[in-house]
Amino acid sequence: MIVVKTKEEIELMRQSALIVSKTLGMLAKEVKEGVSTMQLDKLAEEFIRDQGALPGFLGLYDCPSTLLCSVNEAVVHGLPTQTPLKDGDIVSIDCGALMNEFYGDHAYTFEIGEVDPETKKLIQVTKESLYIGIREFKINNRVGDVGYAIQQHCESHGYGVVRELVGHGLGKKMHEDPEMPNYGKRGRGKKFVEGMVVAIEPMINGGTHKVRQLKDGWTIVTQDGKPSVHFEHDVALVDGKPEILSTFAYVHEALGIVSTEEDEFRQKALVL
């Protein structure tokens, strides 16, 4: 059952999402060669608690960490480790926060040092597909419209769209209806209605779409060992149009990136 949010609840969810956005922005300055994902996890937990929120993942489904950090061929759900990041790595950091009884949940893929051109292109195309998908989250469209748009963009570049893992509704529970696959057919699936809030999150592989789970019971990796990229935003349906509640602006500011990609999805300017 889809849980529709009031405009007041959506504003509370924006606060939760922005806690995650600020956490990712803080981490952007720390994600570098020689740093372990375990170190990043400790920084994130402390930062989220200092903001008056709770880590959204820690303890959820028995998750042992605040962050899920997926390096190179890891797709999602990578548990933090003591292994230092090295030049040429990529790491997808997925983070959640619970505040005002609502969850924020989104993700960004970071580059460590000099990343090879093929992987840079995978990152660029995956990020593009996120906004292409968000554009289809509008009144009278359906779940399949978002998935179709993401799938077509990524597969046109020869990439694999993960089937086993999907986006989801978001609210007082981390995972609500509807499921939001990154593949599909236009006009299929549940219809979008005013007040819905979803996490749209393309998980795109540099090769095959097929994945497997490691023995830790969490980490999902590509079957062919090629890299995977993950971006995620929290999006509400407001006045019939997609309104992004999360932002990569804090990450972009930390990394010196100039971007206008979120502008069309905001009804008012974001104040950092």
Side-chain angles (χ1 to χ4, degrees), residues 3 34 71 76 101 103 149 171 221 231 253 262:
V3 181
V71 180
V76 287
E101 299 184 326
Y103 282 98
V221 299
F231 286 101
E253 182 180 44
E262 297 178 7

Side-chain angles (χ1 to χ4, degrees), residues 199-212:
I200 297 175
E201 49 177 320
M203 292 158 270
I204 309 301
N205 299 342
T208 180
H209 68 82
K210 295 181 179 179
V211 299
R212 62 186 178 88

Side-chain angles (χ1 to χ4, degrees), residues 67-141:
L67 301 178
L68 294 171
C69 302
S70 305
V71 180
N72 297 332
E73 72 275 12
V75 182
V76 287
H77 300 169
L79 296 181
T81 72
Q82 297 284 7
T83 304
L85 294 167
K86 63 183 186 297
D87 185 63
D89 283 346
I90 61 171
V91 56
S92 300
I93 298 183
D94 196 356
C95 181
L98 178 62
M99 188 177 186
N100 301 320
E101 299 184 326
F102 288 99
Y103 282 98
D105 167 30
H106 61 109
Y108 193 93
T109 297
F110 295 91
E111 302 177 22
I112 313 302
E114 291 297 320
V115 173
D116 68 83
E118 288 186 5
T119 302
K120 278 183 174 288
K121 183 183 175 185
L122 175 62
I123 291 171
Q124 176 188 338
V125 170
T126 304
K127 200 178 188 192
E128 289 170 353
S129 78
L130 171 63
Y131 296 104
I132 287 170
I134 290 171
R135 204 168 285 127
E136 297 298 318
F137 181 60
K138 56 189 177 182
I139 206 74
N140 294 325
N141 268 12

